[in-house]
Amino acid sequence: MYQIAIDGPSGAGKSTVAKALAKDLGIVYVDTGALYRAVGYYVREKGIDPKSGPDVEGILPEITVTIRYENGAQHVLLNGEDLGDRIRQPDISMYASAVSAIPAVRAFLLETQRSIARENNVVMDGRDIGTVILPNADVKIFLSASSEARAIRRYEELKAKGIETSLEEVLADMERRDKADRERDVAPAVAAPDAVPVDNSGLDAEQTLECIKQIIFKKIPSFKTK
Ligand code: DC
């Protein structure tokens, strides 16, 4: 099985490029952030402090988080219920980031991620895919861009989904969340030593895709013919 890991901060365009890659290469796309978002969603519903390790750990036995694919699109199910776009709300981003710093949450979601990669060729995006989840991935990319470029993209994305916010708010939230993700003790969101860094501040989605494809084709020539 081939494993492609794409890590990097929020708004770098990981999911856009990973989705397009999966389609072009005929492999499975796994958005791992959605799993942390599902846990964050439940924690918010329960009115629990997402930063309290013991409280969050305490609710884990109550939940199952599973991934299902429908026509190639990933759906995340929380206790069997499809959460859809509810996990994309900005406050859920903060909840996801907070719960993702708790070791028990990371351990809880580890096997779900690894088992998909055992059974399928995957392109998986997240923060610790190249460092923790798939340390032997065939290709590791660390995708990043300036915080301004990333905030504009995230803002446009949220606007398109009808979610109301301002660019300033998006930028501030994003910087706060990235700092927390980068500086946490467990599985910090940093590049694996063997990851190829890609800065796409000046690239559009198509150019980013092309750049990453060239890196992949060098490492896995058989994908070139797809
Ligand atoms: O990729 P995203 O914005 O949907 O991720 C939401 C949060 O989940 C992010 O702030 C950090 C956390 N996360 C993580 O810790 N590890 C991953 N592999 C993916 C996401």
Side-chain angles (χ1 to χ4, degrees):
M1 290 297 163
Y2 287 115
Q3 301 174 341
I4 300 169
I6 304 186
D7 290 301
S10 52
K14 300 186 299 292
S15 64
T16 307
V17 77
K19 243 182 242 169
L21 268 175
K23 193 160 173 261
D24 289 359
L25 303 178
I27 64 178
V28 171
Y29 165 52
V30 190
D31 162 12
T32 63
L35 302 171
Y36 294 91
R37 286 172 181 271
V39 176
Y41 181 87
Y42 188 80
V43 164
R44 191 188 63 171
E45 291 282 282
K46 286 275 156 175
I48 290 167
D49 174 5
K51 291 204 164 88
S52 164
D55 290 357
V56 173
E57 192 169 347
I59 58 91
L60 293 177
E62 297 169 17
I63 62 174
T64 59
V65 177
T66 44
I67 289 184
R68 197 174 63 197
Y69 289 90
E70 270 169 38
N71 304 322
Q74 173 182 311
H75 293 258
V76 172
L77 279 65
L78 174 66
N79 290 338
E81 188 195 355
D82 187 348
L83 294 176
D85 266 354
R86 276 178 280 169
I87 56 171
R88 300 294 155 197
Q89 295 288 336
D91 61 333
I92 297 296
S93 303
M94 296 311 289
Y95 270 83
S97 177
V99 300
S100 76
I102 298 168
V105 171
R106 305 204 73 84
F108 177 71
L109 297 175
L110 181 84
E111 189 45 33
T112 304
Q113 298 169 79
R114 284 204 181 139
S115 66
I116 298 174
R118 260 198 304 274
E119 290 153 21
N120 305 275
N121 290 325
V122 292
V123 50
M124 196 174 275
D125 91 37
R127 304 292 189 291
D128 64 337
I129 310 307
T131 50
V132 177
I133 306 296
L134 306 176
N136 299 317
D138 301 274
V139 185
K140 297 181 187 179
I141 308 279
F142 195 81
L143 184 62
S144 195
S146 69
S147 38
E148 289 72 22
R150 293 187 289 113
I152 291 170
R153 289 179 197 152
R154 184 45 56 93
Y155 172 68
E156 295 293 341
E157 226 173 76
L158 292 171
K159 210 166 70 175
K161 287 201 168 114
I163 297 170
E164 251 187 66
T165 181
S166 70
L167 182 57
E168 292 69 31
E169 209 175 336
V170 172
L171 178 63
D173 276 2
M174 215 184 60
E175 287 186 331
R176 194 150 38 106
R177 182 153 69 99
D178 288 343
K179 186 170 185 303
D181 293 345
R182 239 183 3 251
E183 295 178 359
R184 67 185 176 214
D185 293 332
V186 276
V190 295
D194 52 346
V196 181
V198 174
D199 184 315
N200 69 355
S201 305
L203 306 180
D204 63 19
E206 213 168 297
Q207 292 166 323
T208 305
L209 177 64
E210 206 38 53
C211 166
I212 289 180
K213 269 188 178 168
Q214 293 315 315
I215 296 167
I216 293 171
F217 293 159
K218 247 187 230 153
K219 304 218 177 194
I220 315 175
S222 61
F223 273 152
K224 214 170 177 170
T225 51
K226 301 229 177 202

